[in-house]
Amino acid sequence: MATDFNIDIIRNLFNLPGDFVGYKQNTNGHINSTFILTFNEDGNTKKYVLQKISTEIFKNPEGLMNNIVGVTKHIRKKNEDMNTPWADRCTLTFLPTINGKYFYLDEENNCWRLYEFIDDVYTCNAIENSNDFYNAGVAFGEFQNLLADYDSTSLVETIPNFHNTVSRFADFKRAVDENKSGRLENAKEEVEFAIAREKDTHILVDLITEGKLPLRVTHNDTKLNNILFDNTTNKGICIIDLDTVMPGLSLYDFGDSIRFGANTAAEDEKDVSKVSLSIELYEAYVKGYLSSAKDALTDLEKELLPFGAKLMTYECGIRFLMDYLNGDVYFHTDYDDHNLVRARTQFALVADMEKKMDEMLEITKKYC
Ligand code: ADP
Ligand code: GN1
Ligand code: MG
């Protein structure tokens, strides 16, 4: 992860006042490079978030930024209209460059953008108490609600087929066949686990085709660390990392939150015996999510929430495994087998969810 920005260029392009004090890199995410910049103007500190987004992954930065600017304006307006106490911190505020665009491409075609840092918040990479996870559920449910009337046809698909599990599976099979990294031998058991569950990959895709599940404006990357929690109230006040906001299923958003947040271990825990689905955390999230999103969801969506959790965990597992087989070309990795470790963790969680599926269904029903 290179710290390859030129502060003078950034300052001039975004017309930033004050003296540059310094920056810190935030290494939470697997895709973007994030830097928190600090400026000082007449004794006042002002912070910004500078991000480099991968144009290898996001091939249409202009469309992506149009999506995000539109969606953030919509969320802000709604919160202002509702007099939400934290309306000034309820969404991201992007800054235009002197050329009027919300991003700029450097000579290596890297895409850079800048937005306001939000103060007095924290992010979680793991859940320490179930109340935070309840609040996460409320926040993502509310995000869904606020965008329910947003015109989804105005959004570009920033990564086509992002949660299309049939096409994800086909990509995965190709990675197995090509074995570009020559590491297939190390991943035999994981590949077998994934192939044995191919039929699951068709279930939601078929229901969309049959018109039984509605496409909504969804976030599509609902990891716990994509919520900013207020330091005082612990409420989830702002949903960030909006690059994948596009039409999708509510089940994707619900599922990915459970995958990451209700795991008793980290996404890249090496000891798989520590991995399991925490029923207590599952319940906290369902309760929070349905308290804000229930009225907007159909009966079939509610019924499929536990399956969504399993499918999103499976999908993430095949994505990590595919990247391992392709030679670590997509996700940032910290060591040689990192993607394989992540895939093992996801599959251990899938296996545990399979055992707990009836319990998950029972709990979900309680809050419908
Ligand atoms: P990535 O796509 O790499 O996950 P994110 O947009 O999620 O990037 O940002 C990475 C991290 O930076 C977040 O988890 C959060 O800790 C911090 N962060 C991002 N935006 C803000 C903001 N506006 N205010 C405060 N912290 C932020
Ligand atoms: C990536 O950028 P980040 O870290 O929030 C990925 C998600 C995966 C996640 C796995 C654009 O999310 O889809 O679920 O890693 N984002 C993209 O941790 O591929
Ligand atoms: Mg993120």
Side-chain angles (χ1 to χ4, degrees):
M1 270 181 263
T3 51
D4 46 7
F5 63 88
N6 178 319
I7 189 61
D8 293 322
I9 295 180
I10 300 290
R11 197 211 309 253
N12 292 334
L13 260 174
F14 289 96
N15 198 17
L16 300 176
D19 300 321
F20 177 60
V21 178
Y23 73 88
K24 268 196 190 151
Q25 184 160 8
N26 182 311
T27 54
N28 262 350
H30 296 341
I31 310 287
N32 294 333
S33 300
T34 305
F35 308 93
I36 315 293
L37 311 184
T38 306
F39 283 77
N40 187 311
E41 194 185 9
D42 304 328
N44 295 318
T45 299
K46 174 87 188 158
K47 287 184 182 175
Y48 301 93
V49 181
L50 173 69
Q51 262 179 340
K52 180 171 80 172
I53 45 180
S54 166
T55 46
E56 280 289 303
I57 294 176
F58 296 106
K59 300 202 189 304
N60 176 2
E62 180 130 33
L64 179 149
M65 286 311 296
N66 286 340
N67 280 2
I68 295 187
V69 170
V71 160
T72 50
K73 280 188 181 155
H74 185 86
I75 292 175
R76 180 169 305 101
K77 167 101 181 40
K78 285 229 162 150
N79 276 284
E80 284 168 358
D81 290 350
M82 293 185 303
N83 291 320
T84 308
W86 57 87
D88 55 330
R89 297 186 298 146
C90 70
T91 192
L92 297 176
T93 308
F94 286 84
L95 278 75
T97 68
I98 49 173
N99 305 317
K101 291 196 184 246
Y102 284 90
F103 68 99
Y104 94 99
L105 295 174
D106 66 19
E107 59 284 0
E108 285 162 24
N109 204 37
N110 292 311
C111 174
W112 295 86
R113 65 182 176 204
L114 191 81
Y115 51 99
E116 306 260 359
F117 182 81
I118 297 181
D119 259 320
D120 302 320
V121 291
Y122 62 96
T123 44
C124 301
N125 281 310
I127 283 294
E128 273 158 30
N129 68 76
S130 57
N131 196 45
D132 277 349
F133 206 39
Y134 168 85
N135 283 331
V138 174
F140 275 124
E142 184 63 9
F143 180 85
Q144 180 101 84
N145 275 344
L146 291 174
L147 292 171
D149 59 345
Y150 195 82
D151 176 14
S152 66
T153 60
S154 70
L155 294 173
V156 300
E157 228 187 325
T158 55
I159 302 181
N161 290 319
F162 192 59
H163 285 309
N164 180 328
T165 42
V166 173
S167 90
R168 288 286 187 194
F169 188 82
D171 294 344
F172 162 70
K173 277 296 287 298
R174 195 170 324 110
V176 173
D177 293 341
E178 293 176 354
N179 188 18
K180 283 189 190 148
S181 64
R183 292 153 143 182
L184 179 60
E185 205 46 46
N186 307 338
K188 283 260 157 70
E189 232 178 273
E190 290 72 25
V191 169
E192 246 175 62
F193 183 96
I195 291 176
R197 286 156 180 79
E198 184 195 352
K199 70 171 180 3
D200 284 348
T201 64
H202 295 270
I203 294 176
L204 299 187
V205 174
D206 287 355
L207 288 168
I208 296 172
T209 316
E210 291 160 18
K212 293 183 178 155
L213 283 176
L215 284 178
R216 304 180 181 279
V217 177
T218 47
H219 183 282
N220 296 302
D221 185 7
T222 50
K223 263 164 52 165
L224 188 58
N225 57 26
N226 289 332
I227 304 180
L228 303 179
F229 292 94
D230 182 75
N231 278 346
T232 312
T233 63
N234 299 320
K235 282 188 199 302
I237 58 161
C238 177
I239 302 294
I240 61 167
D241 209 346
L242 305 169
D243 303 324
T244 50
V245 172
M246 52 187 162
L249 295 182
S250 58
L251 304 168
Y252 301 153
D253 281 3
F254 176 84
D256 201 49
S257 289
I258 298 297
R259 171 192 78 77
F260 189 86
N263 187 350
T264 51
E267 186 184 66
D268 58 355
E269 171 58 56
K270 289 184 181 157
D271 177 357
V272 288
S273 71
K274 293 188 179 153
V275 175
S276 66
L277 177 88
S278 159
I279 284 292
E280 185 196 343
L281 291 181
Y282 179 81
E283 179 152 6
Y285 193 88
V286 176
K287 189 175 172 191
Y289 179 78
L290 287 178
S291 75
S292 48
K294 153 165 102 179
D295 293 343
L297 302 182
T298 66
D299 288 347
L300 184 60
E301 283 175 293
K302 287 183 237 172
E303 204 179 294
L304 283 167
L305 290 173
F307 176 73
K310 181 185 133 175
L311 189 69
M312 285 299 98
T313 310
Y314 170 87
E315 181 200 89
C316 201
I318 60 172
R319 290 178 63 199
F320 286 141
L321 190 53
M322 172 165 71
D323 199 33
Y324 177 73
L325 297 172
N326 285 340
D328 304 327
V329 290
Y330 188 93
F331 295 105
H332 291 157
T333 51
D334 295 334
Y335 56 89
D336 198 35
D337 282 352
H338 205 165
N339 273 318
L340 180 60
V341 166
R342 287 170 175 153
R344 281 191 184 131
T345 313
Q346 302 312 296
F347 292 159
L349 188 57
V350 168
D352 196 50
M353 286 181 185
E354 285 173 352
K355 286 191 206 135
K356 294 176 176 161
M357 197 44 74
D358 288 344
E359 211 175 338
M360 289 162 79
L361 280 162
E362 276 313 305
I363 290 168
T364 311
K365 267 194 214 145
K366 264 175 43 185
Y367 299 98
C368 281

